[in-house]
């Protein structure tokens, strides 16, 4: 073989060897890649099996919660369709099977008056994440209604976007009746405690009538000439005071009536306070209690039961009266018992404040005074239910109670209600 052919052959062999080396390296890389991908696949299979297992476990837990929860639970998609319901929920809505409920729009189970409210609640759930203990009228499959406590929560997907809602509901019809019975019992107890005060309210106009009649009889016996204008003037005074007595008796009769069927309506806060004050004013004068009243004229109406609102004010005034009289018994004769009640509006909140200069409440007891049967009064003087019932009434009206006190100085109860009016009031 010639030398140039041998050189050419060696060159070809070198090129083929280089190509084989590259192919070998690429094959090794491919094998390594396949090994990695195979390992990833195995890991993915393991992760998938675990995810499926976790999902099944999660579904089982969810079904367990649904089946054993003491509350009715609805799982609702973003279109409002019911996807799942708990066993208790099936029973509460008067169904015999899950299929009778699932697939229906959730609004199907709310009364006409409650539909817009639950829509607003769902909108609030989207922005706030949850709502709690909203009282609404629910409708069963047979058309019967029940009073329900409804709470809602938003469920989000992995990207944080809303995916569905959970609605938790309970039938509170019996509980509400018990609360109303308790409220009525407390109202009657208040009337009993205020019997002496009401006697002052009625005695004053009776005394005025008596004095007018005595004067007319005196003039008649003396043979004085009595003209028509004189008789009309005296008759007007008599009827004015008779009307006052009739109004007091009518208000007591309505106030003491059972309010089970009362439909919440818009009412004047100031009117409710004035009605409550009418039960105390003469009694306070007789006891030497100075009463200061400052009611803003720029208040929106409040929605609820005016008689229950009056009951709250009467409870507050009764407690204030006891507090200032207790302090009066401990202070010198110069002490003047004072009770101040005022209303005002600040932004979208209406404030009602009852302030007294009585014995006050100890700091460690302020958080306990709303607990049923807790009382700072001596045994036999209070039921321990007044403030807890007041708290429930105010809460039902969408308000809250704030208490501030300093022993042997003052106590201030603030009732705060949120309104839809954002204007500033005084």
């Amino acid at each position: 073989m010639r030398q140039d052919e041998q050189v050419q052959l060696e060159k070809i062999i070198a090129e083929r060897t280089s190509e084989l080396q590259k192919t070998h390296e690429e094959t090794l890389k491919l094998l390594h890649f396949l090994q990695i991908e195979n390992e990833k696949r195995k890991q993915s299979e393991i992760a998938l099996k675990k995810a499926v297992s976790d999902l099944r476990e999660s579904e089982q837990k969810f079904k367990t919660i649904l089946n054993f929860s003491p509350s009715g639970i609805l799982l609702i998609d973003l279109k409002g369709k019911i996807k799942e319901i708990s066993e208790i929920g099936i029973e509460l809505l008067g169904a015999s099977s899950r299929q009778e409920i699932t697939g229906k729009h959730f609004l199907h189970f709310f009364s006409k008056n409650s539909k817009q409210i639950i829509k607003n609640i769902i909108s609030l759930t989207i922005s706030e994440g949850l709502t709690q203990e909203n009282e609404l009228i629910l409708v069963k499959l047979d058309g019967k209604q029940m009073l329900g406590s409804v709470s809602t929560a938003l469920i989000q997907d992995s990207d944080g976007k809303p995916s569905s809602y959970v609605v938790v509901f309970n039938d509170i019809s019996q509980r509400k009746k018990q609360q109303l019975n308790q409220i009525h019992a407390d109202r009657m107890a208040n009337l009993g405690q205020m019997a002496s005060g009401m006697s002052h309210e009625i005695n004053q106009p009776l005394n005025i009538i008596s004095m007018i009649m005595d004067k007319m009889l005196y003039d008649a016996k003396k043979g004085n000439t009595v003209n028509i204008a004189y008789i009309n003037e005296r008759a007007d005074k008599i009827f004015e005071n008779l009307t006052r007595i009739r109004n007091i008796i009518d208000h007591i009769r309505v106030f003491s009536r059972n309010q089970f069927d009362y439909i919440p309506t818009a009412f004047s806060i100031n009117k409710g306070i004035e009605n409550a004050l009418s039960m105390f004013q003469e009694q306070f004068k007789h006891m030497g209690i100075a009463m200061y009243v400052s009611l803003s004229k720029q208040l929106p109406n409040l929605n609820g039961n005016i008689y229950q609102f009056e009951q709250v004010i009467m409870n507050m005034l009764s407690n204030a009266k006891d507090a200032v009289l207790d302090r009066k018994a401990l202070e010198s004769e110069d002490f003047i018992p004072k009770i101040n009640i005022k209303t005002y509006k600040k932004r979208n909140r209406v404030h009602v404040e009852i302030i007294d200069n009585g014995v006050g409440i100890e700091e460690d007891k302020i958080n306990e005074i709303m607990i049923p049967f807790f009382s700072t009064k001596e045994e036999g003087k209070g039921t321990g239910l007044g403030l807890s019932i007041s708290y429930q009434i105010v809460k039902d009206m969408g308000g809250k109670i704030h208490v501030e006190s300093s022993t042997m100085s003052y106590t201030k109860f603030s009732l705060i209600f949120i309104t839809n009016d954002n204007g500033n009031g005084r």
Side-chain angles (χ1 to χ4, degrees), residues 188-198 283 315 318 321-322 377 380-383:
M188 299 306 294
N190 278 338
L191 288 175
Q193 291 174 4
M194 292 189 306
S196 61
M198 287 184 287
Q283 184 182 15
N315 272 326
S318 180
K321 177 199 71 175
D322 292 340
K377 301 175 183 179
K381 197 171 183 180
T383 62

mmCIF file of all heavy atoms in Angstrom, residues 188-198 283 315 318 321-322 377 380-383:
data_model
loop_
_atom_site.group_PDB
_atom_site.id
_atom_site.type_symbol
_atom_site.label_atom_id
_atom_site.label_comp_id
_atom_site.label_asym_id
_atom_site.label_seq_id
_atom_site.Cartn_x
_atom_site.Cartn_y
_atom_site.Cartn_z
ATOM 1 N N MET A 188 -91.471 41.597 82.089
ATOM 2 C CA MET A 188 -92.465 41.582 83.169
ATOM 3 C C MET A 188 -91.805 41.843 84.524
ATOM 4 O O MET A 188 -92.383 42.522 85.384
ATOM 5 C CB MET A 188 -93.199 40.236 83.196
ATOM 6 C CG MET A 188 -93.958 39.926 81.899
ATOM 7 S SD MET A 188 -95.093 41.247 81.412
ATOM 8 C CE MET A 188 -96.280 41.164 82.747
ATOM 9 N N ALA A 189 -90.577 41.313 84.699
ATOM 10 C CA ALA A 189 -89.851 41.583 85.948
ATOM 11 C C ALA A 189 -89.544 43.073 86.065
ATOM 12 O O ALA A 189 -89.649 43.658 87.148
ATOM 13 C CB ALA A 189 -88.560 40.765 85.984
ATOM 14 N N ASN A 190 -89.185 43.699 84.951
ATOM 15 C CA ASN A 190 -88.922 45.138 84.959
ATOM 16 C C ASN A 190 -90.166 45.924 85.333
ATOM 17 O O ASN A 190 -90.108 46.884 86.107
ATOM 18 C CB ASN A 190 -88.436 45.598 83.573
ATOM 19 C CG ASN A 190 -86.953 45.354 83.385
ATOM 20 O OD1 ASN A 190 -86.215 45.226 84.347
ATOM 21 N ND2 ASN A 190 -86.517 45.268 82.141
ATOM 22 N N LEU A 191 -91.308 45.510 84.771
ATOM 23 C CA LEU A 191 -92.557 46.205 85.095
ATOM 24 C C LEU A 191 -92.878 46.081 86.584
ATOM 25 O O LEU A 191 -93.365 47.027 87.201
ATOM 26 C CB LEU A 191 -93.705 45.641 84.254
ATOM 27 C CG LEU A 191 -93.695 46.006 82.764
ATOM 28 C CD1 LEU A 191 -94.812 45.273 82.034
ATOM 29 C CD2 LEU A 191 -93.859 47.519 82.586
ATOM 30 N N GLY A 192 -92.605 44.887 87.135
ATOM 31 C CA GLY A 192 -92.836 44.703 88.572
ATOM 32 C C GLY A 192 -91.946 45.608 89.405
ATOM 33 O O GLY A 192 -92.392 46.228 90.380
ATOM 34 N N GLN A 193 -90.669 45.702 88.997
ATOM 35 C CA GLN A 193 -89.736 46.560 89.739
ATOM 36 C C GLN A 193 -90.090 48.032 89.600
ATOM 37 O O GLN A 193 -89.790 48.843 90.478
ATOM 38 C CB GLN A 193 -88.311 46.311 89.238
ATOM 39 C CG GLN A 193 -87.773 44.935 89.597
ATOM 40 C CD GLN A 193 -86.413 44.675 88.972
ATOM 41 O OE1 GLN A 193 -85.823 45.539 88.336
ATOM 42 N NE2 GLN A 193 -85.904 43.449 89.140
ATOM 43 N N MET A 194 -90.740 48.384 88.480
ATOM 44 C CA MET A 194 -91.045 49.788 88.233
ATOM 45 C C MET A 194 -92.457 50.183 88.683
ATOM 46 O O MET A 194 -92.923 51.276 88.386
ATOM 47 C CB MET A 194 -90.904 50.101 86.746
ATOM 48 C CG MET A 194 -89.486 50.034 86.252
ATOM 49 S SD MET A 194 -89.344 50.642 84.579
ATOM 50 C CE MET A 194 -90.551 49.638 83.736
ATOM 51 N N ALA A 195 -93.129 49.275 89.388
ATOM 52 C CA ALA A 195 -94.510 49.563 89.780
ATOM 53 C C ALA A 195 -94.620 50.873 90.556
ATOM 54 O O ALA A 195 -95.510 51.690 90.310
ATOM 55 C CB ALA A 195 -95.056 48.408 90.614
ATOM 56 N N SER A 196 -93.680 51.091 91.483
ATOM 57 C CA SER A 196 -93.734 52.328 92.271
ATOM 58 C C SER A 196 -93.481 53.544 91.395
ATOM 59 O O SER A 196 -94.119 54.593 91.547
ATOM 60 C CB SER A 196 -92.701 52.283 93.404
ATOM 61 O OG SER A 196 -91.394 52.164 92.887
ATOM 62 N N GLY A 197 -92.583 53.405 90.432
ATOM 63 C CA GLY A 197 -92.300 54.511 89.525
ATOM 64 C C GLY A 197 -93.500 54.845 88.658
ATOM 65 O O GLY A 197 -93.822 56.014 88.438
ATOM 66 N N MET A 198 -94.207 53.792 88.182
ATOM 67 C CA MET A 198 -95.382 54.039 87.355
ATOM 68 C C MET A 198 -96.504 54.670 88.167
ATOM 69 O O MET A 198 -97.296 55.461 87.649
ATOM 70 C CB MET A 198 -95.843 52.732 86.706
ATOM 71 C CG MET A 198 -94.926 52.274 85.588
ATOM 72 S SD MET A 198 -95.509 50.804 84.722
ATOM 73 C CE MET A 198 -95.187 49.545 85.943
ATOM 74 N N GLN A 283 -90.340 59.019 89.082
ATOM 75 C CA GLN A 283 -89.648 58.225 90.099
ATOM 76 C C GLN A 283 -88.272 58.819 90.394
ATOM 77 O O GLN A 283 -87.876 58.940 91.556
ATOM 78 C CB GLN A 283 -89.516 56.781 89.622
ATOM 79 C CG GLN A 283 -88.884 55.839 90.647
ATOM 80 C CD GLN A 283 -88.729 54.436 90.094
ATOM 81 O OE1 GLN A 283 -88.831 54.214 88.898
ATOM 82 N NE2 GLN A 283 -88.469 53.487 90.978
ATOM 83 N N ASN A 315 -83.629 48.614 81.105
ATOM 84 C CA ASN A 315 -82.641 47.847 81.874
ATOM 85 C C ASN A 315 -81.450 48.735 82.258
ATOM 86 O O ASN A 315 -80.974 48.697 83.400
ATOM 87 C CB ASN A 315 -82.147 46.652 81.058
ATOM 88 C CG ASN A 315 -83.014 45.419 81.229
ATOM 89 O OD1 ASN A 315 -83.560 45.183 82.299
ATOM 90 N ND2 ASN A 315 -83.154 44.644 80.182
ATOM 91 N N SER A 318 -82.535 51.319 84.859
ATOM 92 C CA SER A 318 -82.753 50.670 86.161
ATOM 93 C C SER A 318 -81.416 50.373 86.847
ATOM 94 O O SER A 318 -81.250 50.610 88.052
ATOM 95 C CB SER A 318 -83.545 49.378 85.965
ATOM 96 O OG SER A 318 -83.768 48.720 87.187
ATOM 97 N N LYS A 321 -79.914 53.650 88.002
ATOM 98 C CA LYS A 321 -80.606 54.105 89.214
ATOM 99 C C LYS A 321 -80.054 53.397 90.452
ATOM 100 O O LYS A 321 -79.726 54.038 91.468
ATOM 101 C CB LYS A 321 -82.107 53.831 89.082
ATOM 102 C CG LYS A 321 -82.936 54.201 90.316
ATOM 103 C CD LYS A 321 -84.281 53.495 90.297
ATOM 104 C CE LYS A 321 -84.120 52.007 90.570
ATOM 105 N NZ LYS A 321 -85.392 51.277 90.677
ATOM 106 N N ASP A 322 -79.933 52.065 90.377
ATOM 107 C CA ASP A 322 -79.407 51.307 91.521
ATOM 108 C C ASP A 322 -77.976 51.729 91.855
ATOM 109 O O ASP A 322 -77.601 51.847 93.029
ATOM 110 C CB ASP A 322 -79.439 49.804 91.222
ATOM 111 C CG ASP A 322 -80.859 49.261 91.144
ATOM 112 O OD1 ASP A 322 -81.774 49.918 91.680
ATOM 113 O OD2 ASP A 322 -81.041 48.182 90.545
ATOM 114 N N LYS A 377 -75.248 42.933 91.932
ATOM 115 C CA LYS A 377 -76.162 43.402 92.967
ATOM 116 C C LYS A 377 -76.285 42.366 94.079
ATOM 117 O O LYS A 377 -75.987 41.188 93.885
ATOM 118 C CB LYS A 377 -77.541 43.693 92.360
ATOM 119 C CG LYS A 377 -77.509 44.754 91.257
ATOM 120 C CD LYS A 377 -78.873 44.910 90.619
ATOM 121 C CE LYS A 377 -78.826 45.912 89.471
ATOM 122 N NZ LYS A 377 -80.140 46.056 88.811
ATOM 123 N N GLY A 380 -81.252 38.828 95.548
ATOM 124 C CA GLY A 380 -82.653 39.209 95.601
ATOM 125 C C GLY A 380 -82.971 40.532 94.944
ATOM 126 O O GLY A 380 -84.132 40.886 94.751
ATOM 127 N N LYS A 381 -81.945 41.280 94.573
ATOM 128 C CA LYS A 381 -82.169 42.602 93.987
ATOM 129 C C LYS A 381 -82.168 42.560 92.469
ATOM 130 O O LYS A 381 -82.728 43.427 91.815
ATOM 131 C CB LYS A 381 -81.097 43.581 94.482
ATOM 132 C CG LYS A 381 -81.467 45.039 94.272
ATOM 133 C CD LYS A 381 -80.482 45.962 94.961
ATOM 134 C CE LYS A 381 -80.897 47.414 94.809
ATOM 135 N NZ LYS A 381 -79.956 48.346 95.478
ATOM 136 N N GLY A 382 -81.554 41.566 91.883
ATOM 137 C CA GLY A 382 -81.516 41.461 90.420
ATOM 138 C C GLY A 382 -81.538 40.014 89.981
ATOM 139 O O GLY A 382 -81.158 39.118 90.747
ATOM 140 N N THR A 383 -82.006 39.785 88.744
ATOM 141 C CA THR A 383 -82.084 38.412 88.227
ATOM 142 C C THR A 383 -80.777 37.966 87.592
ATOM 143 O O THR A 383 -80.547 36.779 87.401
ATOM 144 C CB THR A 383 -83.194 38.312 87.157
ATOM 145 O OG1 THR A 383 -82.856 39.170 86.064
ATOM 146 C CG2 THR A 383 -84.534 38.737 87.733
#
